[in-house]
Amino acid sequence: MKKIALFSVLASSLAFGLSDNDVLSLYQDIIKQGASVKVLEKSTLPGSKIEQRIIEIKMGDASKKDIVFSDDKFVFADVIDPKTMTSYYNQFEEKQTKEMQKQGRKNLANLLKTYDKSKIVNLGNDKAKKSVFVFTDPLCPYCRMALNQIEEQLKNSNLKLIFTPIPSHGEEAVAKSLAILKDIKTAKNDKDKIEILRKYYDEKAPMPKNITKSQIENETKIIAKFFQTGAINGVPAYIEENDLK
């Protein structure tokens, strides 16, 4: 019985070629920097003797997944099937991107549950149309271009604008966002709201004087939470409301 068990272990070892430790040795540099690295999954590619390992890398609160391929001697960054032109690395990256997007939108949905609804600028109220969240920035040139087409967008969608200036646009973008929210309270209809938006999105619009340093600092912290969800990487960003349910 012992001989059979020993043979099974050897056969298993040979079937999987290089050991996990052999593969993880490639990550020694980041391990020395304090990263935790482990093999999450291991399998053999269909119709081959090549193995793929999904690696989890953790550094503090941050984590990511990597994938490596190996035979009984070498480790590869990618494997391509010449018949289907399938890149197994690209296939893995696409799956990771979808998982990250799904988690990011889940995080965003949770954040919106606690977000002050009075800070969402609603344009359009047609129940027959889809509703779309628009994450926007008064200093963003692409957001200005989108604003020029907003009437056209409203023909197909209700829009829910949330001001999320990117950090590099600094205090001015945050101040203008707050000024818009303040002025828009007096708007009677969508036309009035759009006029206020265009006033502050204008490239020549001056820095608002009625917004305090404290208000800017508090709003900057709130804005940062949207980018931390992982659902928004830049502006303008469009996410359908139904995708957050």
Side-chain angles (χ1 to χ4, degrees):
M1 291 294 292
K2 288 183 179 179
K3 287 185 178 179
I4 293 174
L6 179 60
F7 176 77
S8 298
V9 171
L10 287 172
S12 176
S13 177
L14 289 171
F16 276 99
L18 295 178
S19 70
D20 288 351
N21 286 338
D22 290 330
V23 174
L24 293 178
S25 67
L26 299 173
Y27 296 86
Q28 282 304 313
D29 286 346
I30 59 172
I31 290 174
K32 289 177 182 178
Q33 295 173 31
S36 168
V37 182
K38 69 178 181 179
V39 176
L40 285 181
E41 297 177 29
K42 180 167 60 176
S43 60
T44 304
L45 294 182
S48 78
K49 295 182 179 180
I50 295 176
E51 299 154 9
Q52 63 177 7
R53 286 176 176 83
I54 297 176
I55 313 294
E56 181 184 63
I57 304 169
K58 285 188 174 182
M59 179 75 83
D61 294 332
S63 67
K64 67 164 291 184
K65 292 179 183 177
D66 193 14
I67 189 169
V68 291
F69 308 88
S70 66
D71 56 15
D72 60 351
K73 187 176 181 181
F74 298 104
V75 176
F76 315 102
D78 193 8
V79 173
I80 298 175
D81 184 336
K83 292 182 180 179
T84 62
M85 295 306 293
T86 298
S87 163
Y88 283 94
Y89 178 80
N90 287 346
Q91 196 175 73
F92 167 78
E93 283 290 287
E94 288 171 4
K95 182 180 178 182
Q96 287 299 110
T97 298
K98 288 179 181 179
E99 288 179 358
M100 289 174 65
Q101 288 176 339
K102 184 178 179 181
Q103 183 59 51
R105 293 190 175 188
K106 183 178 179 181
N107 295 340
L108 178 59
N110 289 333
L111 176 59
L112 286 171
K113 289 176 183 177
T114 61
Y115 186 64
D116 184 352
K117 301 301 185 291
S118 69
K119 291 162 68 174
I120 299 175
V121 176
N122 293 288
L123 297 172
N125 187 30
D126 187 338
K127 293 182 179 180
K129 297 177 183 178
K130 62 184 178 182
S131 291
V132 179
F133 283 104
V134 182
F135 299 89
T136 183
D137 176 347
L139 295 191
C140 167
Y142 302 104
C143 296
R144 287 170 178 156
M145 290 171 62
L147 184 58
N148 289 336
Q149 304 297 322
I150 201 162
E151 287 89 355
E152 193 65 28
Q153 293 175 40
L154 286 169
K155 290 179 180 179
N156 301 308
S157 309
N158 301 310
L159 303 179
K160 297 174 176 286
L161 276 63
I162 297 179
F163 300 99
T164 53
I166 59 174
S168 61
H169 285 169
E171 293 186 356
E172 182 181 355
V174 178
K176 287 182 176 179
S177 298
L178 290 169
I180 291 169
L181 292 173
K182 185 176 181 180
D183 288 3
I184 225 156
K185 290 178 181 178
T186 61
K188 297 179 180 179
N189 50 47
D190 285 352
K191 183 180 178 181
D192 289 349
K193 292 177 184 178
I194 292 171
E195 285 181 2
I196 292 168
L197 287 166
R198 287 186 168 141
K199 171 186 172 182
Y200 288 99
Y201 273 65
D202 190 307
E203 199 170 352
K204 298 178 181 178
M207 176 78 165
K209 296 180 180 179
N210 57 348
I211 306 297
T212 68
K213 185 87 171 177
S214 176
Q215 287 175 313
I216 292 172
E217 289 175 353
N218 290 336
E219 190 64 19
T220 298
K221 292 176 183 177
I222 295 170
I223 291 167
K225 293 179 181 179
F226 282 98
F227 291 101
Q228 289 165 6
T229 64
I232 305 165
N233 297 315
V235 288
Y238 297 84
I239 299 179
E240 290 190 23
E241 188 172 32
N242 285 337
D243 289 341
L244 299 176
K245 294 179 180 179

